[in-house]
Amino acid sequence: MRRTGALALLGAIAHGSLAASESLPRGVGPEFAKFFESKTTFACIGNPSITLKASQVNDNSCDCPDGSDEPGTAACANIDPLSPEQPLPGSVTGTTNTTAALPGFWCVNAGHIGNYLPFMYVNDGICDYELCCDGSDEYAHAGGVRCENRCDTIGKEYRRLEEQRRQNKERSAKKRRTLVKESRELRRRVEVKIANLKTEVRDLDAKKAELQAKFEEVERSERGKVVKSEGQGGKLGVLVGLAKSRVNELRNTLDKVMDQRDDLQDKVDQLEDILTKLKEEYNPNFNDEGVKAAVKAWEDYAAGQPSEPKGDLADSDIMEVLKEDSEISGINWAEFETGEASDVDVVYNWEAYLPAQVRDYVHQKLNLLRAWAIENGILADNPTSGGESRLVTAAREALDSAKNAHAVKLGQLEEEQRELEKDYGPDDVFRALKGKCISGEAGEYDYELCWFDKTTQKSKKGHGNTNMGNFVRVDKVFVDEEERLDGKGLGKGQRLVLRYENGQGCWNGPNRRTDVYLGCAETDEVWRTVEAEKCVYKMEVGSPAACEDVQEPGVPTKDEL
């Protein structure tokens, strides 16, 4: 039996009565009945100037250039669109260049659906029940073939399948509506989460600004406190820290003054050399008042210099002062920093002699008292190794914690916003399927689709898994494929395609990618997977998410102008 998708012409449902169709010549479809109303003459449909006798219709002789006089025979099959090109008598080009007026042989198919059959199939000795279930195309019984009328049986089965498809479509549409509702709820949750995150980010912004100001205030305040030191607590520790800091500061200043003195002395020596040469080499007879004044000033300056140099401070003495303090030079600060415990230390150590049941309580109270004393500048705040007081450290840590929390929340907010803006198809329907996986087998492999994630090829022999692509985007593509009896096909029309790219690289080839074509189905399932070209896979998948947007019964629709 011939394939209907490859050879059949478009079918049409007969609107006229059976009696009316019987009054027409054999093979005439209802939409062409008006051309065959006359009982005496017939005008060629495409060439009305050519008029034939009524008896010439269906006389097995192609008299009209467009073949319209032979609706019920194969006489004009040579100009059938499905016929191979062949010479036509009288053609200038020697080939068929005439357009057929009739789409084919009309089979009434009472009890089923009327249909057109290609003229080349008329009286060819084959019963084409998929197109002409009433067997009228083999009226001449060529080769002794007699085709019984099977339209009742075929029509009944067709109607059963059509009803089943209709019910499946309704169930699929219902499931799609459920998916849309789930997707809307998921989207609403993301929107709520984004709103909450925005509020948290604003609060953290304010908190961060507050802590920044507090940190700067504490740092500024602590910088000027007497209790800030690098030594032990107590008065001695405070003074040692301040003295050490002051000595280092004076030493650094002296070092800079020495550098400036040396630079200035170099300039003075250079200027004295210039003026000495001027005095010795200038011409006294040259009447230049400016030069004479400069020489006179230099002589006065030289006369005012002492005959013996003053006792200047030796550079060696200054260098001795500039040496860093240590055990053998300058001040040995370690003697002061590691001295005996201060009175405050004694206060904080005596708690060790208390009974265990009261030690923790006393320790807690003493810590509170110490913190209050430090904050009010009464006690020294023993700093960390970096020389920063505990108050500054605490303020810095609080600020850093707020900054980190703000960065984390801001990252979450940006991630949720990207999720909200992602394309999940019409009505956001695929949002409810994200992360779910389905699979189907083909040959020695199982092929897995994870919605909006990746596609995977899994070997049944345990040879590992291969990434066939990661989700990139949603596209729409027009397809034109044969309708399948089991309903697991793409059919004809615009279809959604999910693009999965940048998968695992092929051997000596590009990275794998998968085009997932979606068809309407009641359940999610992988129908078939083929390698369309090297490392490029075509996966056909059924899902209620791919069904048409059918309005729920009872819900009014908005009329569009």
Side-chain angles (χ1 to χ4, degrees):
M1 187 173 291
R2 300 181 179 89
R3 295 180 59 193
T4 60
L7 301 177
L9 298 172
L10 292 175
I13 300 177
H15 299 289
S17 64
L18 180 61
S21 64
E22 290 178 348
S23 65
L24 295 173
R26 181 178 58 250
V28 176
E31 65 268 40
F32 295 96
K34 61 183 179 180
F35 297 105
F36 297 89
E37 292 176 348
S38 175
K39 304 299 182 181
T40 57
T41 60
F42 172 77
C44 298
I45 296 176
N47 307 85
S49 60
I50 302 176
T51 304
L52 306 177
K53 297 178 181 180
S55 59
Q56 291 179 272
V57 176
N58 282 341
D59 65 351
N60 212 30
S61 175
C62 194
D63 299 312
C64 288
D66 59 5
S68 56
D69 62 312
E70 297 296 320
T73 73
C76 300
N78 59 333
I79 60 174
D80 191 299
L82 297 180
S83 297
E85 282 196 7
Q86 49 191 290
L88 182 67
S91 172
V92 176
T93 61
T95 58
T96 301
N97 63 353
T98 304
T99 301
L102 301 175
F105 178 89
W106 174 254
C107 298
V108 177
N109 294 338
H112 187 34
I113 298 176
N115 204 7
Y116 282 107
L117 181 84
F119 287 114
M120 68 177 70
Y121 295 171
V122 176
N123 289 324
D124 62 351
I126 299 176
C127 296
D128 299 294
Y129 287 120
E130 71 274 20
L131 296 177
C132 203
C133 61
D134 61 7
S136 59
D137 59 315
E138 298 299 322
Y139 61 87
H141 312 304
V145 173
R146 294 179 178 272
C147 300
E148 60 179 315
N149 189 334
R150 298 183 180 178
C151 287
D152 286 343
T153 303
I154 293 176
K156 183 178 180 180
E157 178 64 14
Y158 174 83
R159 288 187 290 274
R160 185 188 70 80
L161 292 176
E162 277 296 299
E163 177 62 18
Q164 181 178 331
R165 281 192 286 266
R166 186 191 64 79
Q167 293 177 0
N168 288 342
K169 186 175 181 180
E170 288 182 356
R171 288 193 295 267
S172 300
K174 184 177 180 179
K175 288 190 174 183
R176 186 188 188 280
R177 290 192 292 269
T178 301
L179 287 175
V180 170
K181 290 179 181 178
E182 292 178 6
S183 297
R184 287 174 180 168
E185 174 60 22
L186 291 174
R187 183 180 181 87
R188 187 194 65 80
R189 293 178 185 176
V190 174
E191 292 172 342
V192 170
K193 193 171 184 180
I194 288 175
N196 292 336
L197 285 171
K198 285 182 177 179
T199 301
E200 292 180 23
V201 168
R202 284 195 299 269
D203 293 343
L204 288 172
D205 274 333
K207 184 177 181 180
K208 186 175 67 171
E210 179 184 351
L211 290 174
Q212 178 71 41
K214 186 175 182 180
F215 166 72
E216 293 174 355
E217 179 184 356
V218 170
E219 187 179 41
R220 186 168 52 253
S221 174
E222 290 296 300
R223 191 182 298 120
K225 277 189 177 180
V226 170
V227 296
K228 187 174 186 291
S229 72
E230 294 185 8
Q232 294 288 326
K235 295 180 180 179
L236 180 60
V238 171
L239 292 176
V240 168
L242 291 175
K244 184 177 180 181
S245 175
R246 186 61 174 169
V247 168
N248 289 333
E249 181 180 349
L250 292 174
R251 184 177 285 120
N252 292 333
T253 303
L254 179 58
D255 189 28
K256 294 178 181 178
V257 170
M258 286 284 293
D259 291 339
Q260 293 177 358
R261 184 206 68 173
D262 293 341
D263 292 339
L264 291 173
Q265 186 60 50
D266 290 340
K267 292 181 179 180
V268 169
D269 292 342
Q270 187 177 9
L271 290 173
E272 287 181 350
D273 289 341
I274 293 172
L275 292 172
T276 300
K277 288 182 180 180
L278 177 63
K279 178 180 179 303
E280 294 174 350
E281 297 177 0
Y282 90 105
N283 186 356
N285 297 322
F286 187 75
N287 191 18
D288 189 330
E289 296 300 328
V291 174
K292 290 179 179 181
V295 171
K296 179 65 172 62
W298 164 246
E299 290 174 345
D300 295 340
Y301 168 79
Q305 295 297 318
S307 58
E308 295 181 2
K310 294 181 179 179
D312 293 337
L313 183 64
D315 287 351
S316 59
D317 295 335
I318 298 178
M319 295 306 296
E320 187 66 27
V321 174
L322 290 176
K323 286 184 178 179
E324 291 187 7
D325 294 327
S326 64
E327 294 180 358
I328 60 176
S329 174
I331 302 174
N332 185 9
W333 297 105
E335 294 180 357
F336 301 94
E337 293 175 340
T338 58
E340 296 181 356
S342 66
D343 296 340
V344 178
D345 293 327
V346 172
V347 172
Y348 277 90
N349 286 334
W350 71 269
E351 64 182 79
Y353 300 97
L354 294 175
Q357 58 267 26
V358 297
R359 186 182 305 155
D360 292 340
Y361 174 79
V362 173
H363 180 74
Q364 180 182 5
K365 295 302 181 182
L366 285 175
N367 279 341
L368 292 174
L369 177 62
R370 182 186 179 99
W372 175 83
I374 290 173
E375 289 178 356
N376 290 275
I378 299 174
L379 294 181
D381 180 8
N382 289 336
T384 62
S385 59
E388 186 176 77
S389 73
R390 292 177 182 175
L391 288 178
V392 175
T393 300
R396 185 189 302 279
E397 290 177 351
L399 176 60
D400 291 341
S401 177
K403 287 181 178 179
N404 293 335
H406 178 269
V408 170
K409 291 297 181 183
L410 189 60
Q412 293 176 354
L413 174 60
E414 292 173 350
E415 182 179 354
E416 294 298 333
Q417 286 176 331
R418 287 193 296 270
E419 174 67 17
L420 186 66
E421 295 168 0
K422 189 178 294 184
D423 181 12
Y424 281 103
D427 299 324
D428 227 21
V429 65
F430 291 104
R431 187 181 293 273
L433 296 178
K434 181 185 177 182
K436 298 180 181 179
C437 301
I438 55 176
S439 61
E441 62 178 22
E444 59 185 44
Y445 297 103
D446 284 327
Y447 292 94
E448 183 181 65
L449 164 68
C450 291
W451 297 99
F452 284 70
D453 185 9
K454 63 181 179 180
T455 53
T456 308
Q457 182 189 64
K458 299 182 177 181
S459 173
K460 294 180 180 179
K461 299 179 181 180
H463 295 161
N465 303 335
T466 302
N467 185 325
M468 297 165 53
N470 302 299
F471 175 77
V472 177
R473 64 185 182 278
V474 181
D475 280 343
K476 274 190 176 182
V477 174
F478 183 84
V479 298
D480 187 4
E481 297 186 4
E482 180 183 1
E483 294 283 353
R484 295 173 60 93
L485 294 178
D486 58 4
K488 298 180 179 182
L490 300 175
K492 181 177 181 180
Q494 288 281 350
R495 297 292 180 262
L496 292 173
V497 178
L498 307 183
R499 305 291 189 186
Y500 289 75
E501 300 177 359
N502 302 317
Q504 186 173 331
C506 285
W507 179 259
N508 291 331
N511 289 343
R512 290 174 171 84
R513 68 179 178 89
T514 308
D515 296 330
V516 180
Y517 286 75
L518 301 178
C520 178
E522 187 177 351
T523 58
D524 295 326
E525 57 179 330
V526 177
W527 289 337
R528 60 195 66 85
T529 305
V530 296
E531 190 171 4
E533 54 186 279
K534 185 176 182 180
C535 305
V536 178
Y537 302 86
K538 178 182 180 182
M539 183 181 290
E540 296 182 13
V541 174
S543 172
C547 296
E548 294 180 358
D549 185 14
V550 180
Q551 183 66 35
E552 188 170 0
V555 177
T557 59
K558 180 179 179 180
D559 294 334
E560 295 185 2
L561 297 179

